[in-house]
Amino acid sequence: MSPTITAFERSPDRGRGLARDTRVRWALEEVGQPYDVRLLSFTEMKEPAHLALHPFGQIPTYEDGDLALFESGAIVFHLAERHAGLLPGDANARARAISWMFAALSTMEPPILDRTTAMLVERDKTWHEQRLPLVEDRIRDRLDELSNRLGEADWLDGEFSAGDLLMVSVLLRLSGSGLLDEYPNLSAYVARGEARPAYKRAFDAQLAVFNAASSGC
Ligand code: GTB
């Protein structure tokens, strides 16, 4: 039996691949693991059946036999541990790749999410125009450092890893902000991630869900 993940029945990002099921789909595609998807409405996400899987009533979740997981990072890590292709075999290189997974989620993602919040729910506040540049400067601080570390390398530490998968997924949330354009090496890094066949399959799969919902299928 294939594992089952959950995703938005109709993603608020209109199929741009920014919801967190995309990173899980991407990991599944990278390791060649077929999967099923259970689509959920916002109402269903808060009902007991889903809350039993996800304490915060969110997507994505992952079910495989008697294992149920939530948190996209934990799901990607689980897949990377159980399949070849997303973590190096050498123990030290593996530990460094895991550091990059945490860096993506706990160092890079928070300031980027803060900007999303500012744009989605604070736009009508009197202080929005003053706050946004501060939020964006905090993102720039991190992008400066990441850009310096990446340099001209293709990936963060040798071969493509789950660390890159999560880092590219996080950076993609800056699409349209103009911030990534200030860093040609990071823009190229994200483009390399998006060009991977596994990413394209993942992106197309989530887009197909949105298109089907929009056409009333
Ligand atoms: N830390 C968790 C993880 O990594 O899995 C966060 C999970 C999460 O935030 N899930 C969101 C969710 O279920 C969907 S991805 N939200 C519903 C809720 O909390 O009630 C976040 C997301 C939502 C919308 C856009 N968008 O429109 O662009 C992008 C990303």
Side-chain angles (χ1 to χ4, degrees):
M1 275 252 300
S2 296
T4 299
I5 67 166
T6 51
F8 283 131
E9 181 179 76
R10 183 186 288 258
S11 179
D13 75 348
R14 308 186 60 79
R16 289 167 62 215
L18 300 178
R20 288 181 178 82
D21 59 296
T22 303
R23 57 186 67 169
V24 171
R25 293 173 186 268
W26 185 6
L28 286 158
E29 293 288 352
E30 288 284 352
V31 301
Q33 172 63 59
Y35 62 100
D36 295 321
V37 184
R38 189 166 63 253
L39 301 175
L40 298 174
S41 65
F42 277 94
T43 305
E44 288 167 329
M45 287 164 59
K46 307 301 175 193
E47 287 174 350
H50 187 64
L51 285 169
L53 293 174
H54 196 308
F56 309 113
Q58 296 181 316
I59 61 95
T61 57
Y62 173 95
E63 292 154 81
D64 189 11
D66 57 6
L67 175 67
L69 295 175
F70 62 97
E71 283 294 335
S72 59
I75 299 168
V76 170
F77 183 46
H78 171 76
L79 292 168
E81 281 213 305
R82 274 159 186 73
H83 301 266
L86 283 175
L87 284 174
D90 172 76
N92 285 355
R94 193 178 182 90
R96 290 196 303 273
I98 293 167
S99 296
W100 281 116
M101 295 177 70
F102 278 87
L105 300 181
S106 63
T107 301
M108 296 303 295
E109 194 162 49
I112 292 173
L113 285 183
D114 196 17
R115 183 180 183 279
T116 305
T117 306
M119 298 306 285
L120 289 179
V121 301
E122 296 174 0
R123 273 191 124 122
D124 58 342
K125 306 292 184 209
T126 52
W127 36 263
H128 173 72
E129 294 297 326
Q130 282 82 48
R131 183 167 186 269
L132 187 60
L134 304 178
V135 170
E136 294 195 333
D137 278 347
R138 282 197 286 272
I139 298 174
R140 281 192 187 90
D141 288 344
R142 291 301 182 217
L143 294 178
D144 284 345
E145 292 152 350
L146 186 68
S147 171
N148 287 338
R149 172 53 78 100
L150 180 67
E152 295 310 310
D154 279 354
W155 306 114
L156 289 166
D157 191 335
E159 296 294 304
F160 175 83
S161 78
D164 295 297
L165 186 153
L166 289 177
M167 190 65 81
V168 168
S169 298
V170 165
L171 295 178
L172 275 167
R173 295 197 72 161
L174 292 173
S175 305
S177 71
L179 285 164
L180 265 188
D181 303 334
E182 298 171 20
Y183 302 86
N185 68 333
L186 293 182
S187 299
Y189 171 65
V190 170
R192 268 192 296 281
E194 288 179 290
R196 291 180 72 85
Y199 176 81
K200 289 183 181 175
R201 289 193 296 274
F203 182 89
D204 289 349
Q206 64 76 37
L207 179 60
V209 172
F210 181 77
N211 287 340
S214 303
S215 69
C217 294

